[in-house]
Amino acid sequence: MQLKVLFVVPYVPDLIRVRPYNLIRHLAERGNQVMVVAPWTNEEEHEKLQQLRGPGVDVAGVDLPKWRSYWNCLLAVPTTIPLQSVYCWHPALMQTVTTLLADHAEKSFDVVHVEHLRGARYGLKLLQELADSAVPVVWDSVDSISYLFRQTVDRNPQGLRRVLTQLELQRTEWYEGYLVNAFDHVLVTSKTDKKALEELAHLAAPAADKVAVLNNGVDLAYFMPEPGLQREPATLVVSGKLSYHANVSMVLHLAQNVMPLVWAERPEVKLCVVGKNPPREILALGENLAVMVTGTVPDIRPYLQQATVAVAPITYGAGIQNKVLEAMACGTPVVATSKAVSALDILPGEDVLVADDAQQLARAVLQLLSSRDLQKTIGDAGRRYVENHHSWKAIAGKLEAIYWEAVIKKRGKYL
């Protein structure tokens, strides 16, 4: 049976923001009607939003200039709400959502889906708008942001980042607990984030068991081994959005602590750092002739498909690491820390090589570099793992079932 879904996202879904992008596409492929509402910050994002339009998918949105996001945060400083929760707020976007609800009054949406802490304020307003209806509002937290902030504080960041993180931590813990109790259903990407949110919810008030794990997936037709393409003999690739502090920490740890041990035995090894918006300290790594920092690339797949090994030495973070899943989908053998794969049901040593300190990471990398047979064995196993566990098609089917559970439960209150 077809569902009509109002899907509110605080940013434009695309190949970087893969979770909403793929959920929307695959929900539509399953025969559902999805109305996507999102703000854009520039013309490129506006075009990407329009490109989502297609069979089963319609879109609407407004321009959200950076100055408004900064102004929202400034106004929130003296309050008790997290800055993240107001960063993407725009009254015009809320009015767009309200108008859509009014226009569809005769044939109401079956369910409302709101993503991320940055979109939660829209969700709270929608709970008010739909207070007398049987339409459930599902909040996809994605990750527990306060869990991430606690790890960031523990790593003792310096300067403005430390001040902002400490400012946000207590607010976000309270707010996330409140949100879990407020919404009809809550989604996260991992069991660790589920536990973190449920603990916060019980601090706020007794909460029903309504937090569900909805893993991230991989577009298996997009990320795949390139037939006939020869891999580089000694090239490592590390990828991720490099404006994100946990990824910056990961790359610096790799370059400063792990690679010197690798180069001591294999000086010919190259390191390719691929990711959007690298800060100065990452760009500076490119002064080493053995390191290439690409910045934004139009397509990450060639870098994954040609690399000998993908590395993900993540020291802190939350949720599922898409960078790991995408490399595995490309058949690239992965060396990762236990933190990077904690949300995956992998077999360490078979699907991925797992190591935590610098010496162990270097040894795992050198082990793979020295054996083409091991590269193929681990690479093939990684591909099979994502095929079996992280198909977006199957994940969209699970989301559809969660929607129906929320719909039936909410409608039951009105019978």
Side-chain angles (χ1 to χ4, degrees):
M1 187 175 175
Q2 184 186 84
L3 283 165
K4 291 190 67 179
V5 184
L6 178 58
F7 205 106
V8 183
V9 203
Y11 31 62
V12 175
D14 59 18
L15 290 173
I16 295 176
R17 297 175 177 116
V18 294
R19 185 174 173 86
Y21 178 81
N22 283 288
L23 291 177
I24 290 163
R25 289 175 57 229
H26 286 278
L27 283 170
E29 286 179 8
R30 292 177 61 84
N32 301 292
Q33 296 293 316
V34 186
M35 181 72 214
V36 182
V37 182
W40 69 83
T41 60
N42 54 50
E43 191 54 38
E44 180 184 1
E45 288 189 353
H46 186 210
E47 291 177 5
K48 286 182 178 180
L49 179 61
Q50 299 306 315
Q51 290 167 8
L52 278 176
R53 199 187 303 271
V57 181
D58 201 357
V59 301
V62 300
D63 182 13
L64 177 66
K66 287 290 185 183
W67 69 261
R68 181 177 286 277
S69 293
Y70 299 148
W71 180 246
N72 289 344
C73 292
L74 184 62
L75 292 177
V77 169
T79 74
T80 60
I81 60 175
L83 307 188
Q84 285 250 358
S85 70
V86 300
Y87 186 84
C88 292
W89 173 255
H90 197 319
L93 189 69
M94 189 65 225
Q95 183 57 53
T96 298
V97 175
T98 301
T99 301
L100 284 168
L101 289 173
D103 290 346
H104 290 76
E106 292 185 3
K107 193 175 181 182
S108 172
F109 291 102
D110 297 298
V111 63
V112 175
H113 180 123
V114 180
E115 182 168 296
H116 204 269
L117 183 62
R118 292 188 175 190
R121 186 172 177 183
Y122 295 105
L124 293 175
K125 290 288 186 182
L126 281 163
L127 285 170
Q128 295 175 4
E129 295 272 351
L130 298 167
D132 297 324
S133 80
V135 180
V137 181
V138 176
W139 177 49
D140 185 0
S141 173
V142 185
D143 307 323
S144 169
I145 302 300
S146 59
Y147 172 62
L148 177 61
F149 282 164
R150 283 196 298 275
Q151 295 176 79
T152 306
V153 169
D154 289 344
R155 291 190 59 79
N156 194 31
Q158 301 300 313
L160 181 61
R161 182 185 299 165
R162 180 175 180 81
V163 172
L164 289 175
T165 302
Q166 289 181 322
L167 173 69
E168 286 281 88
L169 177 56
Q170 188 173 2
R171 299 174 181 224
T172 306
E173 287 181 327
W174 171 83
Y175 200 66
E176 285 187 325
Y178 167 73
L179 292 174
V180 171
N181 286 285
F183 287 102
D184 297 299
H185 212 90
V186 179
L187 308 175
V188 286
T189 59
S190 77
K191 294 177 182 177
T192 301
D193 293 271
K194 171 181 165 69
K195 182 174 182 291
L197 286 183
E198 287 177 335
E199 289 175 351
L200 294 173
H202 285 287
L203 287 175
D209 183 18
K210 58 181 177 181
V211 182
V213 175
L214 187 74
N215 289 331
N216 275 353
V218 188
D219 187 333
L220 296 171
Y222 186 81
F223 289 99
M224 61 185 299
E226 181 66 27
L229 182 66
Q230 292 296 314
R231 294 188 180 274
E232 298 289 335
T235 297
L236 311 183
V237 63
V238 59
S239 61
K241 185 181 177 183
L242 293 174
S243 57
Y244 176 45
H245 52 84
N247 286 339
V248 172
S249 176
M250 170 188 70
V251 173
L252 291 177
H253 173 54
L254 174 63
Q256 296 170 355
N257 302 321
V258 180
M259 291 309 300
L261 301 175
V262 173
W263 285 321
E265 294 193 30
R266 297 284 297 267
E268 79 280 12
V269 172
K270 305 295 184 184
L271 174 63
C272 185
V273 181
V274 185
K276 182 179 180 181
N277 298 330
R280 283 178 296 177
E281 59 265 41
I282 299 298
L283 290 172
L285 299 175
E287 295 174 7
N288 183 335
L289 295 179
V291 179
M292 178 174 68
V293 181
T294 68
T296 302
V297 295
D299 189 346
I300 195 174
R301 290 175 299 175
Y303 297 92
L304 297 175
Q305 292 163 340
Q306 294 179 66
T308 324
V309 179
V311 282
I314 293 164
T315 56
Y316 70 102
I320 282 184
Q321 302 299 327
N322 291 328
K323 60 180 74 66
V324 173
L325 295 179
E326 290 167 357
M328 294 171 76
C330 288
T332 306
V334 174
V335 172
T337 54
S338 54
K339 173 63 74 173
V341 296
S342 62
L344 307 181
D345 293 323
I346 53 103
L347 294 174
E350 295 187 24
D351 302 320
V352 176
L353 296 189
V354 179
D356 283 310
D357 66 35
Q359 288 190 336
Q360 291 172 341
L361 285 162
R363 184 54 49 198
V365 167
L366 289 166
Q367 183 183 2
L368 278 168
L369 289 173
S370 66
S371 173
R372 286 192 176 274
D373 288 342
L374 184 60
Q375 291 167 26
K376 179 168 174 50
T377 298
I378 298 293
D380 289 350
R383 173 69 190 188
R384 285 195 299 274
Y385 168 81
V386 294
E387 288 176 344
N388 292 333
H389 298 276
H390 293 278
S391 157
W392 278 119
K393 182 178 180 179
I395 291 168
K398 182 178 179 181
L399 176 58
E400 192 178 276
I402 290 170
Y403 285 163
W404 276 116
E405 179 185 344
V407 167
I408 292 169
K409 184 176 181 181
K410 191 71 177 279
R411 288 178 181 174
K413 294 180 179 180
Y414 289 84
L415 293 179

